[in-house]
Amino acid sequence: FTDYLDFKLDLTKFSHEGNFIREYLKLYDVNTYLLFSNKEKSYNAKFMLTYQKIIMDENGGLSNTTSINMDDPLLNPVKLATAQNVSKNRYHSFSHQFRLSEQTSIFNSLSILKRHKTYTDSSPNSGFYQNVFLDSIQTNDSIKYNYFYSSLGLKYKHFSLSHLLNRRQMSYYISDSTDIDNGFAFSYNPSNTEFNLSLSFYQSGQYRVDIEKVFGKYKQHRLLLLAARQRVPINYNN
């Protein structure tokens, strides 16, 4: 739009009928990006939003596999008539930086990730399932995963120190689990990029250390040392 504001939008829509009954598939994919900086270059911001939705019919396979009509595949009966999978993914991120002086700046970043998947079938008593546990009228199995990340820090010359916050949440049917993890990060990134160091550590014991060295006359050689420990998946808490 201007020399200081840049906006990008990407839209994708895909659909497929399939060859047999209830093989319909539809996909929506939306990606947006917004970049901004003021005239003095003392403030810059980045915003990103992505969204995907997938709708997929489930037919459970053909009822009779001994004689398949390939001339007209839609005439072949299937095991499921009303089952469907729906997946939704959302990712939003916002980061900005404000320069206080030539050598000092404040930075902040936020991101949210949501992944939801739902399986529905309005005919649980069709004979396809071995057991119907709770509801014989409709089955609605779902799993949800939410992730929030925040970073707030101060940068002086080539050094930066920041506070980190991670929040994870997972739920499926009647069970759910949530945990919050605080940590800090330190990095050293000189402008010549010949040596970089980054460290992050959380109260849960999760950590990551990156040490990178670039050398050679044309900086064609790179040595990277990495040590990391990851938290267990949140569903293990159950």
Side-chain angles (χ1 to χ4, degrees):
F1 293 108
T2 68
D3 294 337
Y4 314 106
L5 182 62
D6 186 16
F7 178 74
K8 299 179 181 180
L9 175 64
D10 179 30
L11 301 173
T12 303
K13 181 181 178 181
F14 171 80
S15 62
H16 178 60
E17 294 290 343
N19 297 318
F20 297 93
I21 301 176
R22 297 196 56 76
E23 283 189 334
Y24 185 70
L25 173 67
K26 182 181 290 186
L27 166 67
Y28 301 92
D29 191 358
V30 181
N31 298 275
T32 60
Y33 307 90
L34 181 66
L35 308 176
F36 171 78
S37 63
N38 60 359
K39 186 177 181 179
E40 294 77 16
K41 303 295 183 181
S42 61
Y43 177 79
N44 64 79
K46 301 177 182 178
F47 175 77
M48 180 174 65
L49 184 150
T50 66
Y51 172 78
Q52 293 87 32
K53 182 178 181 180
I54 304 171
I55 303 174
M56 181 172 60
D57 288 341
E58 299 286 353
N59 59 24
L62 301 179
S63 300
N64 184 7
T65 58
T66 57
S67 58
I68 303 176
N69 187 348
M70 297 303 299
D71 296 329
D72 193 350
L74 295 178
L75 296 179
N76 295 280
V78 294
K79 298 178 180 179
L80 293 175
T82 59
Q84 188 180 73
N85 258 313
V86 178
S87 299
K88 295 181 181 180
N89 302 318
R90 297 181 179 89
Y91 179 74
H92 316 298
S93 69
F94 174 71
S95 61
H96 56 146
Q97 180 172 312
F98 182 73
R99 191 174 72 242
L100 302 176
S101 65
E102 290 296 329
Q103 299 179 337
T104 308
S105 60
I106 299 175
F107 60 91
N108 172 239
S109 62
L110 303 169
S111 65
I112 300 174
L113 172 65
K114 294 184 177 183
R115 293 179 177 175
H116 298 174
K117 185 174 183 179
T118 305
Y119 174 81
T120 59
D121 189 356
S122 58
S123 302
N125 288 324
S126 61
F128 177 81
Y129 309 100
Q130 293 182 355
N131 300 287
V132 177
F133 295 101
L134 295 171
D135 194 344
S136 61
I137 299 177
Q138 183 182 34
T139 180
N140 192 345
D141 298 329
S142 63
I143 184 170
K144 298 180 180 180
Y145 178 78
N146 300 327
Y147 179 81
F148 173 79
Y149 169 81
S150 172
S151 173
L152 176 63
L154 178 68
K155 182 178 181 181
Y156 176 72
K157 292 185 177 180
H158 307 307
F159 299 91
S160 66
L161 181 66
S162 58
H163 171 263
L164 306 177
L165 173 65
N166 281 334
R167 182 182 185 273
R168 304 185 303 176
Q169 182 181 24
M170 182 178 181
S171 62
Y172 54 93
Y173 199 52
I174 59 173
S175 179
D176 64 82
S177 183
T178 303
D179 65 31
I180 299 177
D181 205 6
N182 287 278
F184 72 91
F186 170 80
S187 66
Y188 172 69
N189 303 107
S191 56
N192 56 19
T193 68
E194 292 183 357
F195 177 78
N196 297 299
L197 170 66
S198 63
L199 165 69
S200 62
F201 181 81
Y202 291 88
Q203 62 184 155
S204 65
Q206 174 179 310
Y207 67 86
R208 180 185 176 100
V209 181
D210 293 85
I211 303 175
E212 184 179 30
K213 173 66 176 177
V214 179
F215 54 92
K217 183 178 180 181
Y218 302 102
K219 299 183 179 180
Q220 72 273 30
H221 302 295
R222 177 173 297 177
L223 176 65
L224 174 65
L225 300 178
L226 167 65
R229 178 185 180 185
Q230 300 292 331
R231 283 187 295 174
V232 298
I234 189 172
N235 56 307
Y236 285 10
N237 294 341
N238 293 312

